[in-house]
Amino acid sequence: MIVLDKIRKVFNQGMPNELVAVHGAALDLGSARFIVLKGPSGSGKTTLLSIVGCMTRPTSGRIILDSREISGLPERFLTKIRRETFGFIFQQFNLIRGVTALENVMVPAYPRGEKYSLLRDRAMALLELFNISRKAASRAEWLSGGEAQRVVIARALINNPSIIIADEPTAHLDTGLSHEFMEIMGRLHQEGKMIIIASHDPIVYESGLADMLVGMRDGRIESVRDLA
Ligand SMILES: Nc1ncnc2c1ncn2[C@@H]1O[C@H](COP(=O)(O)OP(=O)(O)OP(=O)(O)O)[C@@H](O)[C@H]1O
Ligand SMILES: [Mg+2]
């Protein structure tokens, strides 16, 4: 369960270039929902997503995760919550170059100190699940866009997160791969994961998978449509 309480984010506060990216967003995101965040470029989608995912702290306001206020926690607690709760999928895949697909999937799990062979087996199983295990030994930069996307999804799942956060995940995918991506998200949602995607791609928000559509404009939540 995630609740946003009057979340405000100001960049460069007190400077001539001060910018309010999010103006007091208040929203109950519920649990295990499939949420699509829509809105024009610059409306604050990425900023809000990174606040929800504990990657950025709000300037003011509170985030409540499973009845616990997390906004004020010290960094090391936030890091732990981030690692155990969220899986991230970004527009730029952010795979580490020079490192194999398999190792890339394993990276987010390293801080947990699991036995290497067990972790490797889990990473391999995820690559198999997404039908990409034949590329396990390929370096990240050798993968095609669609292959890289599947590796990124596997990486997002390695710590078995309950919430998947994706920012413009289809921006670099063709139509077929975009539909495939949404199918995978639909499957993960059916398995009980919460999905939060920011996108202005109709393939994402017209997929029929979202049960909540949140519209943003100028840093404000302009509309909330509950489709459940
Ligand atoms: N680190 C930062 N420092 C200063 N301003 C920032 C920073 N990050 C974002 N902004 C500004 O905050 C506003 C919201 O940006 P954000 O990236 O959240 O928009 P968005 O809705 O994700 O846009 P897009 O659809 O283009 O990805 C923009 O005006 C942006 O320039
Ligand atoms: Mg963005």
Side-chain angles (χ1 to χ4, degrees), residues 93 95 142-152 172-173 177:
F93 299 134
L95 290 172
W142 297 341
L143 303 170
S144 73
E147 289 165 353
Q149 181 63 288
R150 280 178 273 164
V151 172
V152 166
H172 297 303
L173 299 182
L177 286 171

Side-chain angles (χ1 to χ4, degrees), residues 9-12 17-22 37-50 56 91 167-168 198-200 216 218-219:
K9 180 68 184 181
V10 185
F11 289 112
N12 309 314
N17 57 347
E18 178 173 300
L19 187 142
V20 184
V22 179
L37 204 56
K38 266 178 69 172
S41 182
S43 58
K45 303 182 297 296
T46 297
T47 306
L48 196 62
L49 271 191
S50 63
T56 309
Q91 167 177 5
D167 192 6
E168 306 286 355
S199 178
H200 30 214
M216 288 195 74
D218 301 330

Side-chain angles (χ1 to χ4, degrees), residues 32-36 182 185-186 189 195 197 207 209-212:
R33 301 203 64 166
F34 195 128
I35 297 168
V36 173
M182 289 308 289
M185 290 302 115
H189 182 231
I195 313 280
I197 308 181
S207 66
L209 290 168
D211 58 19
M212 187 170 178

